[in-house]
Amino acid sequence: MQRTRPVGDVLLKVDDITLSFGGVQALSGVSFDIRKHEIRAIIGPNGAGKSSMLNVINGFYHPQQGQITFKGQTRKQMRPHEAAAQGIARTFQNIALFRGMSTLDNIMTGRLLKMRSNFLFQLAWTGPAEQEETRHREFVEHIIDFLEIQSIRKTPVGQLPYGLQKRVELGRALAAEPELLLLDEPMAGMNVEEKEDMCRFILDVNDEFGTTIALIEHDMGVVMDLSDRVVVLDYGRKIADGTPDHVRGEQKVIDAYLGVSH
Amino acid sequence: MIYREAGQFKTTYRADQAVFPILQDRIAILLILAVAFIGVPALASDYLFLAILIPFLILSMAAIGLNILVGYCGQISLGTGGFMAVGAYAAYNIALRVPELNLLIVFLLAGGCAALVGVLFGIPSLRIKGFYLAVATLAAQFFLDWLFSRVGWFTNYTASGSVTAPQLKFFGYIVHAPTGKYLLCLCLVTVAAVVAKNLVRGRLGRSWMAIRDMDIAAEIIGIRPLQAKLSAFAVSSFFIGVSGALWAFVYLESWEPLAFDINRSFSLLFMVIIGGLGSILGCFLGAAFITIMPIFLNQVPAALGIPLSTATVSHLEFMIFGALIVFFLIVEPHGLARLWAIGKQKLRLWPFPH
Ligand SMILES: Nc1ncnc2c1ncn2[C@@H]1O[C@H](COP(=O)(O)OP(=O)(O)OP(=O)(O)O)[C@@H](O)[C@H]1O
Ligand SMILES: [Mg+2]
């Protein structure tokens, strides 16, 4: 794979993260890093703690122990909207779109953090408020073109088929122009064709916008094709970390996956 | 007239973002405004103004306020009557204590007071949702009822507890004819509707709807639940407060706290449910429906030679409302406004089924 932007320095580093819910130990002492411009996969059997890890990274869960360093700044915890303001966006394993709103409005909402016109201009829909609306609309239309969802622009997302909803959700995350994009099983439940489209979008996002991506995925073929490096979790612990080829050969990984059907 | 948008190409995003992107809709709205501002004042009777049009307009404004909170932001409220009362008593007291102030400013300040009170009672919404929030706003309603009937300062210590609004005087001109009052309400409601529409289709409105549809995802996008919810409470209560002031000053003229009791809250909630949650047009449809229906029930059976007693009529009213609420909540939560939109969609394609 030829990439226009080489993998750079460490963008995010999680260090010794431990998270438990009552008696359930979701993560125990997990450490790894994500480098700029890379596609980093997080894999593991069901219940391994993958989603929990993303939730920790974007401030939705607060770990009992450990530290997160993002863009050189170390923190223990933050609110999700603060993480968003710092440039972390994500999609969810179970689609979390705004069902009552159109595709366009969903993606426009993804740009909310970039809009700051004054309340008085907003209520009159003039001046800076209107210009801002048009400017962001243009940007959002680029995303719509990019994801090839022009025809469903004005459709309430609740009415869309599953595969398209996943695409809109990616669009909403992209609208924030994130530095780090967290994708939780973006291809789950898709057919082969939809998966191929989604793979193409992910690669293009990474390549054209230089977005760093952390990706949870069960489909090993996809993981091998897309990712630069892979973290493997099992029962909340990291059991392997490295290039796809390296990880695939590790005995621990093979054991973890043995007997687990996907 | 043929309702078609073929040939109307939107060449700019600006045009596509217009409130009425389709030419026929623009013509229709201009016609409605022309009738409302010119036709009606020339033709309508005093009865029509005082019994139907003025309450319809004022309740539409209150419904817009409530719809912002319930329909757009998804926060339930049973305290609307109380917030209207805040507007009414705030306007009364400001006008009483600062008589030289222009009444328009008095109304705006009254809205501001209601907004503050709304934010205060909206704070629990940060912690609780749904049923529990409904109970909390119900408590607000009862507290405000109590406040205005028990604390003499608000009613200027009148013995009966009933207060009378001052003359409607604007820029030295006294409005007392029904036509004048109607036009006053019409102007204010038109402005309120435009402002509300601008807010809900922009940044603020999207943050409200995001909170309504999926608050967790909203927060992850960077929306602060605190700001979004409290701004919805503030804007909503502002409109409700102004409408309360108008209800008191223009419609009732003299009133007691009972005018703003829990029944008012319920009737407004019915309006937005029947009219359509999350639709500004729906506020008008719902308000029209609820104002006109009792009159319809009173007159039509009598005209058909089936005289109904007043008691029967009010029972019927409750039954019909009840049935409609159930119908809309189950079948069409977006109310009359959605039925209207579906009708329009059908018309666009007519006579072809697809
Ligand atoms: N909010 C929560 N409350 C209680 N337990 C939780 C919560 N979130 C996750 N867990 C538990 O933490 C463990 C890890 O869950 P997580 O969702 O992170 O797994 P996963 O690797 O994403 O699995 P899957 O492949 O099924 O999505 C599970 O045992 C789960 O039950
Ligand atoms: Mg998961």
Side-chain angles (χ1 to χ4, degrees):
Chain A
M1 187 171 62
Q2 193 60 42
R3 42 193 332 156
T4 41
R5 293 168 217 253
V7 170
D9 298 335
V10 172
L11 178 67
L12 174 108
K13 185 164 155 36
V14 295
D15 203 13
D16 195 25
I17 296 289
T18 297
L19 172 77
S20 58
F21 301 98
V24 182
Q25 191 79 10
L27 294 168
S28 1
V30 178
S31 311
F32 63 89
D33 61 20
I34 302 178
R35 293 173 175 276
K36 238 184 156 68
H37 305 314
E38 92 174 323
I39 300 184
R40 183 76 146 128
I42 303 175
I43 65 169
N46 290 105
K50 306 180 295 295
S51 299
S52 302
M53 192 68 234
L54 292 197
N55 283 332
V56 165
I57 293 175
N58 82 339
F60 194 62
Y61 288 166
H62 302 307
Q64 278 83 12
Q65 196 186 308
Q67 279 179 339
I68 301 168
T69 311
F70 184 57
K71 291 197 274 190
Q73 219 180 327
T74 301
R75 60 183 160 102
K76 185 152 166 45
Q77 62 174 50
M78 61 164 73
R79 304 284 305 152
H81 64 77
E82 294 168 326
Q86 290 202 0
I88 302 181
R90 75 171 288 181
T91 66
F92 294 81
Q93 185 168 351
N94 311 309
I95 297 171
L97 284 171
F98 307 124
R99 297 179 61 84
M101 299 160 72
S102 65
T103 298
L104 185 62
D105 273 333
N106 265 278
I107 303 179
M108 283 294 277
T109 309
R111 280 196 82 67
L112 226 67
L113 272 181
K114 310 222 173 271
M115 303 177 78
R116 42 182 47 92
S117 69
N118 181 301
F119 179 74
L120 289 176
F121 286 115
Q122 282 186 63
L123 60 82
W125 197 264
T126 52
E130 197 199 11
Q131 289 156 15
E132 181 178 70
E133 195 76 21
T134 312
R135 201 170 62 240
H136 289 287
R137 171 73 187 270
E138 270 165 26
F139 185 90
V140 165
E141 288 291 338
H142 285 309
I143 293 179
I144 289 179
D145 287 344
F146 173 75
L147 295 174
E148 299 158 16
I149 46 177
Q150 297 90 338
S151 59
I152 54 162
R153 228 190 235 112
K154 300 267 170 98
T155 316
V157 293
Q159 295 172 12
L160 297 174
Y162 183 81
L164 280 179
Q165 290 198 12
K166 284 254 173 200
R167 227 186 261 192
V168 176
E169 207 188 7
L170 175 63
R172 186 181 66 185
L174 287 178
E177 295 176 76
E179 273 184 69
L180 176 60
L181 177 61
L182 312 174
L183 303 175
D184 197 343
E185 305 201 14
M187 283 162 253
M190 287 187 170
N191 61 32
V192 178
E193 216 170 294
E194 288 172 327
K195 274 189 187 182
E196 277 170 3
D197 283 339
M198 192 50 103
C199 283
R200 184 162 51 84
F201 294 138
I202 292 173
L203 283 174
D204 284 352
V205 167
N206 179 249
D207 209 39
E208 283 181 29
F209 308 134
T211 311
T212 308
I213 296 174
L215 165 85
I216 296 178
E217 185 47 55
H218 278 299
D219 186 324
M220 287 312 253
V222 168
V223 171
M224 296 299 144
D225 282 353
L226 289 186
S227 52
D228 297 301
R229 287 189 301 157
V230 185
V231 181
V232 190
L233 298 181
D234 189 26
Y235 291 113
R237 294 177 189 282
K238 184 170 93 169
I239 56 168
D241 190 348
T243 61
D245 283 328
H246 166 78
V247 161
R248 190 159 45 176
E250 286 262 318
Q251 190 57 38
K252 275 184 182 172
V253 179
I254 297 167
D255 289 346
Y257 272 92
L258 263 187
V260 184
S261 57
H262 291 286
Chain B
M1 194 174 76
I2 301 177
Y3 190 69
R4 286 283 190 279
E5 55 182 308
Q8 298 178 28
F9 298 109
K10 294 157 218 156
T11 48
T12 62
Y13 295 133
R14 213 173 149 209
D16 193 44
Q17 284 158 356
V19 179
F20 299 107
I22 299 175
L23 178 67
Q24 285 88 336
D25 282 345
R26 281 199 293 276
I27 296 174
I29 197 73
L30 285 179
L31 276 177
I32 290 173
L33 284 177
V35 169
F37 275 97
I38 303 163
V40 172
L43 299 172
S45 66
D46 283 3
Y47 170 78
L48 198 61
F49 280 129
L50 295 176
I52 299 180
L53 292 173
I54 290 173
F56 157 69
L57 288 173
I58 300 174
L59 292 177
S60 300
M61 189 194 285
I64 290 173
L66 184 60
N67 215 337
I68 285 178
L69 189 64
V70 182
Y72 286 95
C73 195
Q75 310 298 306
I76 188 82
S77 168
L78 293 175
T80 324
F83 297 138
M84 280 180 82
V86 172
Y89 286 99
Y92 172 74
N93 278 290
I94 295 168
L96 183 78
R97 286 157 221 277
V98 198
E100 61 277 11
L101 211 57
N102 187 308
L103 263 190
L104 282 178
I105 295 176
V106 171
F107 289 157
L108 288 179
L109 289 176
C113 292
L116 281 180
V117 176
V119 168
L120 205 64
F121 283 104
I123 290 174
S125 73
L126 303 175
R127 288 267 151 183
I128 55 180
K129 290 180 191 172
F131 177 71
Y132 296 98
L133 182 59
V135 173
T137 54
L138 195 63
Q141 170 75 43
F142 288 131
F143 171 74
L144 292 167
D145 277 354
W146 173 86
L147 188 70
F148 295 124
S149 53
R150 287 300 138 87
V151 179
W153 185 84
F154 290 107
T155 50
N156 201 25
Y157 303 101
T158 46
S160 62
S162 152
V163 295
T164 303
Q167 267 184 332
L168 289 175
K169 197 166 157 200
F170 296 94
F171 311 105
Y173 177 79
I174 295 173
V175 178
H176 57 75
T179 326
K181 289 179 171 178
Y182 163 80
L183 283 173
L184 169 69
C185 293
L186 184 63
C187 292
L188 293 178
V189 172
T190 309
V191 172
V194 170
V195 165
K197 188 73 199 172
N198 286 343
L199 288 179
V200 299
R201 69 193 168 124
R203 168 163 71 96
L204 206 53
R206 284 193 206 101
S207 73
W208 295 336
M209 291 187 276
I211 288 283
R212 171 195 70 188
D213 284 348
M214 181 72 72
D215 52 357
I216 291 171
E219 202 180 343
I220 277 165
I221 278 175
I223 296 169
R224 295 169 184 230
L226 177 93
Q227 281 180 359
K229 286 181 183 172
L230 292 188
S231 66
F233 268 97
V235 173
S236 157
S237 308
F238 178 85
F239 284 127
I240 292 172
V242 174
S243 74
L246 286 175
W247 190 252
F249 278 46
V250 181
Y251 179 62
L252 298 173
E253 292 174 348
S254 67
W255 72 96
E256 40 195 292
L258 261 186
F260 300 102
D261 67 358
I262 181 78
N263 288 325
R264 179 64 45 220
S265 300
F266 277 121
S267 124
L268 278 160
L269 200 57
F270 293 168
M271 274 179 219
V272 296
I273 292 173
I274 291 179
L277 290 169
S279 154
I280 300 293
L281 170 70
C283 301
F284 288 95
L285 298 179
F289 188 85
I290 294 221
T291 339
I292 292 168
M293 204 189 41
I295 295 167
F296 180 83
L297 283 180
N298 260 320
Q299 317 237 313
V300 171
L304 292 175
I306 331 166
L308 295 177
S309 71
T310 350
T312 323
V313 167
S314 74
H315 287 309
L316 261 183
E317 219 179 287
F318 272 117
M319 278 155 57
I320 294 179
F321 282 155
L324 279 172
I325 299 283
V326 173
F327 169 79
F328 278 117
L329 281 181
I330 295 176
V331 182
E332 189 45 272
H334 298 284
L336 293 172
R338 172 59 65 83
L339 296 182
W340 170 248
I342 292 173
K344 254 177 33 173
Q345 185 64 23
K346 291 245 158 76
L347 193 60
R348 242 167 83 186
L349 302 175
W350 185 85
F352 310 105
H354 294 294

